[in-house]
Amino acid sequence: MFSKSKINEPGPKAEDTAAKPAVSDAPRSTEFKPTAPKAKPPASVLSSDLHITGNIKTTGDIQVEGTIEGDIRAHLLTVGESATIKGEIIADDVVINGRIVGRVRGLKVRLTATARVEGDIIHKTIAIESGAHFEGSVQRADDPLSTGKKAAAPAAAAADQHTAG
């Protein structure tokens, strides 16, 4: 009926607890260690003395100052004043200060006063500064980054409706 209380009993000595190593059921290599989010890396810069023949693809940012003959796909593409790109550009954000010969696809496209573009621009939003040289067509699209024929099909259907009526 009555039991002896353990409050006044001495606990295990510090030596006893230090002698026994802590045992973990999970291997150490799979333990979760939260890490701080990584900082966004700086843009890759392709200098003015660089000439590339071939396609470039990245999820990051690129600043081109040299010459590229090929297609570029990036998150943010900045074309420097001394740069020349011959090929298709697909990027979320495109800032053109130099020369482009080819199609440009971007959510946000900006042609500065020093831009020279020969080709079509497919965009969601566009800005063309006074002094920019542009030869080609401009087409707005809700998803300009898709390169499939699905994006062109609604435009063609809309054109058919206008000519049929």
Side-chain angles (χ1 to χ4, degrees):
M1 196 157 135
F2 294 103
S3 65
K4 186 175 178 182
S5 173
K6 294 185 179 187
I7 295 174
N8 294 330
E9 286 184 14
K13 293 182 181 178
E15 298 166 4
D16 294 343
T17 57
K20 295 181 182 178
V23 178
S24 174
D25 292 339
R28 289 193 176 264
S29 61
T30 59
E31 287 182 8
F32 175 75
K33 295 181 182 178
T35 58
K38 293 182 181 178
K40 186 177 177 185
S44 299
V45 179
L46 306 178
S47 67
S48 59
D49 63 341
L50 187 63
H51 179 95
I52 295 177
T53 302
N55 299 335
I56 298 173
K57 185 177 183 181
T58 181
T59 57
D61 302 346
I62 300 179
Q63 179 178 342
V64 177
E65 298 295 338
T67 303
I68 297 178
E69 293 181 34
D71 300 340
I72 300 175
R73 184 170 188 115
H75 170 67
L76 166 65
L77 175 66
T78 304
V79 181
E81 286 188 39
S82 62
T84 300
I85 298 174
K86 295 181 180 178
E88 182 176 33
I89 293 172
I90 302 173
D92 294 336
D93 205 348
V94 184
V95 178
I96 303 171
N97 299 303
R99 184 169 183 240
I100 305 287
V101 178
R103 182 181 316 172
V104 177
R105 292 178 171 274
L107 295 174
K108 289 173 27 180
V109 179
R110 188 173 122 210
L111 278 63
T112 65
T114 58
R116 302 186 68 75
V117 178
E118 299 171 34
D120 299 338
I121 298 176
I122 301 169
H123 65 90
K124 190 166 186 179
T125 61
I126 189 165
I128 303 175
E129 291 181 7
S130 178
H133 175 83
F134 172 65
E135 279 185 50
S137 67
V138 178
Q139 179 181 351
R140 188 195 178 288
D142 287 329
D143 186 15
L145 303 181
S146 70
T147 56
K149 294 182 180 180
K150 292 179 183 177
D160 290 342
Q161 289 175 351
H162 289 295
T163 56

